[in-house]
Amino acid sequence: EGLLAQVHYPADPSVLLPSATTFEYCRPEVMKAVAEGYYVPEQLLKWVMAARPQVDPPCMPSVPSVGKWPVVIFQSGLWGSFEFYTQFCRDVASMGTIVVMLEHEDGTSITAVDRSSGEVIEYEEQPKWPYDIITFNRGFLGKRTDELCEAVKAIQAIASRMGHEDIDGDAAASPLLQVLRGASPERFALVGHSFGACSIVHALNEVPPELAQCCGAVLLDMWPGPLTTDPSGAFCEGLGERFPVPYVSLLSEVWADNEWYGASCRRFSSSRSTLCLEAATVPGSAHYWISDISLWAPGWLLRLLGVMGPADACATYASTARAVQLSLLSIFENSSHSTLRSDFSSLGLDPIARDSTT
């Protein structure tokens, strides 16, 4: 068996996908972990989210007018889960991509099950500071790279040997195969948040063969801690200069201004990074601004918990989702990035200065 994954894709809402089962929006084990992590009564969370069905019914995938759909593989941050990024992945898929979000079995997910033994993999908490942050996370990064390569290899193998005619009319084909038949095996991009963005930078620092066809990346609030302890940003500036694919970096305001990580994230996209298409900050946003958490409770409560910035959560999310869509269009179409800055500006995003000393 492979990794557990959540897949979002362009669909025909008028035709249900045969043999596909439905599931709850939020798994009970995730609800329990969130309640404990944020000190929120579990009964309150159950009242808000328990038994809520998945957002979309499983429908037949749409057939693109030309070619096949590009693929986006999404990497979540520490203590992440499908439930934290469902809406974001839906919005990315709505632009005409197949989005695959992996549940990694490396101990960084809020919950996971070992596919071999069936045993629950507990989340491994980061130790209290000070600790050797690079050594502690090295194994997680290596495991994520291996699992990412495994997933890309599997998606490409299925998509490359399967045309529309191979499954049309075949009710016995698995729902996943019916979706991946429309995937373009040579057109995929990586999108990651926080530790997920860090894991993408780590994986592409020395590009493995499985990732050689990667078209580009979108990095959201990259957490540089597992890569360097240099708060000046000089180390990450070198990483950005060597980054092998076109990329866009988007930062929440809280992250861009962070004393320890802000300089590294800004300088990763310096003028020396020739493949950086654009870099911008989302004013008034906090680190979890792209997650579903902003949909779970009123703004005043989320600000009290420290997971939401001063700006309107819906507005900052919408502008970011659109910016990600535009970034991926630029990456997949291999088009000039000259309009991204003006596009981002029209969305209310602030450009990040590209000189290497900021």
Side-chain angles (χ1 to χ4, degrees):
E1 295 184 359
L3 289 169
L4 184 64
Q6 187 179 92
V7 182
H8 300 260
Y9 54 93
D12 179 353
S14 66
V15 185
L16 292 178
L17 187 59
S19 73
T21 57
T22 58
F23 51 87
E24 292 182 349
Y25 164 67
C26 190
R27 293 167 289 176
E29 58 269 31
V30 173
M31 204 176 308
K32 183 176 186 296
V34 170
E36 293 174 351
Y38 285 106
Y39 305 103
V40 176
E42 188 175 351
Q43 289 302 319
L44 177 59
L45 272 184
K46 286 182 178 180
W47 179 73
V48 174
M49 295 190 293
R52 183 179 291 185
Q54 66 187 78
V55 181
D56 304 298
C59 296
M60 285 294 291
S62 298
V63 177
S65 56
V66 178
K68 291 187 173 186
W69 302 117
V71 176
V72 172
I73 300 178
F74 181 79
Q75 301 276 80
S76 71
L78 291 178
W79 206 63
S81 72
F82 297 151
E83 290 82 351
F84 286 6
Y85 301 99
T86 296
Q87 183 59 45
F88 179 77
C89 290
R90 290 176 75 231
D91 283 324
V92 174
S94 72
M95 63 173 281
T97 64
I98 295 174
V99 182
V100 179
M101 178 164 48
L102 304 175
E103 186 161 271
H104 288 284
E105 298 179 6
D106 59 347
T108 64
S109 298
I110 196 170
T111 184
V113 175
D114 188 294
R115 56 184 138 163
S116 300
S117 66
E119 296 180 356
V120 174
I121 300 173
E122 300 289 347
Y123 172 70
E124 295 189 39
E125 190 81 37
Q126 297 281 312
K128 290 185 178 180
W129 187 261
Y131 68 103
D132 189 338
I133 189 172
I134 294 176
T135 299
F136 182 81
N137 287 284
R138 184 175 294 131
F140 300 146
L141 290 172
K143 179 74 169 173
R144 281 209 176 196
T145 296
D146 292 343
E147 292 177 344
L148 174 61
C149 290
E150 178 187 357
V152 169
K153 187 175 180 180
I155 293 168
Q156 290 180 327
I158 293 170
S160 62
R161 69 169 181 258
M162 186 174 295
H164 297 296
E165 68 283 355
D166 296 320
I167 293 183
D168 285 340
D170 183 3
S174 77
L176 182 60
L177 291 182
Q178 298 211 41
V179 172
L180 293 182
R181 69 176 179 176
S184 176
E186 70 284 350
R187 296 176 68 211
F188 73 92
L190 305 176
V191 178
H193 175 232
S194 194
F195 184 73
C198 171
S199 68
I200 291 172
V201 173
H202 174 269
L204 293 178
N205 191 41
E206 294 182 8
V207 184
E210 294 87 348
L211 304 184
Q213 290 183 301
C214 178
C215 296
V218 178
L219 308 174
L220 302 154
D221 269 7
M222 180 187 72
W223 180 38
L227 303 174
T228 178
T229 57
D230 169 28
S232 75
F235 179 86
C236 282
E237 184 172 346
L239 285 179
E241 183 181 9
R242 299 190 301 273
F243 202 68
V245 297
Y247 72 96
V248 171
S249 174
L250 297 175
L251 303 178
S252 67
E253 182 176 318
V254 166
W255 209 247
D257 293 340
N258 184 280
E259 176 185 2
W260 300 105
Y261 311 137
S264 290
C265 291
R266 295 192 302 271
R267 293 182 65 175
F268 184 82
S269 305
S270 77
S271 57
R272 292 169 56 187
S273 305
T274 57
L275 292 180
C276 178
L277 302 182
E278 194 51 77
T281 300
V282 184
S285 59
H287 186 54
Y288 294 101
W289 89 111
I290 66 159
S291 78
D292 280 23
I293 293 176
S294 63
L295 307 175
W296 294 351
W300 66 265
L301 178 57
L302 296 173
R303 291 187 184 96
L304 185 65
L305 294 172
V307 298
M308 180 175 163
D312 179 77
C314 292
T316 56
Y317 171 81
S319 61
T320 304
R322 183 54 182 157
V324 171
Q325 291 175 340
L326 292 170
S327 301
L328 289 169
L329 283 172
S330 185
I331 287 170
F332 285 130
E333 294 175 1
N334 196 25
S335 61
S336 169
H337 63 277
S338 59
T339 64
L340 277 182
R341 176 154 293 207
S342 60
D343 290 339
F344 286 3
S345 179
S346 68
L347 292 170
L349 276 58
D350 292 337
I352 293 175
R354 298 289 304 281
D355 87 60
S356 62
T357 60
T358 57

